[in-house]
Amino acid sequence: QAQLVESGGGLVQAGGSLRLSCAASGSRIYIADMAWYRQPPGKQRELVASITRERSTNYEDSVKGRFTISRDNANNIVYLQMNSLRPEDTAIYYCNARVVYMDSARSDNYWGQGTQVTVSS
C-alpha cells in the first residue's frame, strides 16, 4: 500500500505563484511516473504535467512556460511550480503516481486527496 499527500494550494491573485508538493509514502515501493492533474469547477479532470523517473517531462499546452514539474526521487516527492497564474487555472489539483511494489514488481496507480488552487482576477 502507498499514500500520496499533497500540500501547497491556496488563494492567489492573478500573476502570482504557488508551489504544490506531493509526497508518496509506503513500504518497499518504487515510484515510477508521477503527474499533476486538475479539475476545474464543472469540468472533467485533465492532465497538467507529467514526469518520468528519469525526469522526462510533458505539459498541457496552456501551462507551458508557466508551470514546472520536478521530482525528488530520494524522497518520493513531486513538485509543481506554478507561475503567472491565471483565473482559468482555478481548480482542484491532484497528484498521481504509478507505484511499483519491490517484492512483486506489480504496480498500482494512486491519487492524492486533491488541493484547491484559486486564482482571483
Side-chain angles (χ1 to χ4, degrees), residues 1-2 30 33 96-101 105-110:
Q1 287 287 346
Y30 169 96
D33 299 338
N96 175 269
R98 186 163 63 88
V99 176
V100 181
Y101 304 102
R106 184 176 63 89
S107 67
D108 280 332
N109 199 39
Y110 281 83

Side-chain angles (χ1 to χ4, degrees), residues 2-118:
Q3 185 179 17
L4 303 183
V5 178
E6 301 157 359
S7 60
L11 173 64
V12 64
Q13 288 188 332
S17 298
L18 284 173
R19 189 173 87 151
L20 306 182
S21 300
C22 172
S25 61
S27 177
R28 296 189 58 74
I29 62 172
Y30 169 96
I31 308 299
D33 299 338
M34 304 185 84
W36 287 96
Y37 286 73
R38 66 185 179 187
Q39 186 165 14
K43 296 184 179 181
Q44 291 188 335
R45 193 174 297 188
E46 61 183 10
L47 176 66
V48 176
S50 64
I51 185 167
T52 67
R53 189 169 181 87
E54 295 75 25
R55 297 184 172 84
S56 176
T57 59
N58 181 59
Y59 295 93
E60 192 269 329
D61 284 346
S62 71
V63 308
K64 286 179 180 177
R66 300 188 299 123
F67 291 9
T68 302
I69 189 170
S70 61
R71 64 187 289 170
D72 176 352
N73 285 337
N75 294 297
N76 292 330
I77 300 173
V78 64
Y79 302 98
L80 186 68
Q81 178 66 44
M82 304 184 293
N83 298 328
S84 301
L85 282 161
R86 305 167 180 169
E88 54 264 40
D89 295 318
T90 295
I92 300 174
Y93 284 71
Y94 296 91
C95 173
N96 175 269
R98 186 163 63 88
V99 176
V100 181
Y101 304 102
M102 293 181 181
D103 294 340
S104 66
R106 184 176 63 89
S107 67
D108 280 332
N109 199 39
Y110 281 83
W111 292 92
Q113 79 281 6
T115 185
Q116 177 70 46
V117 171
T118 303

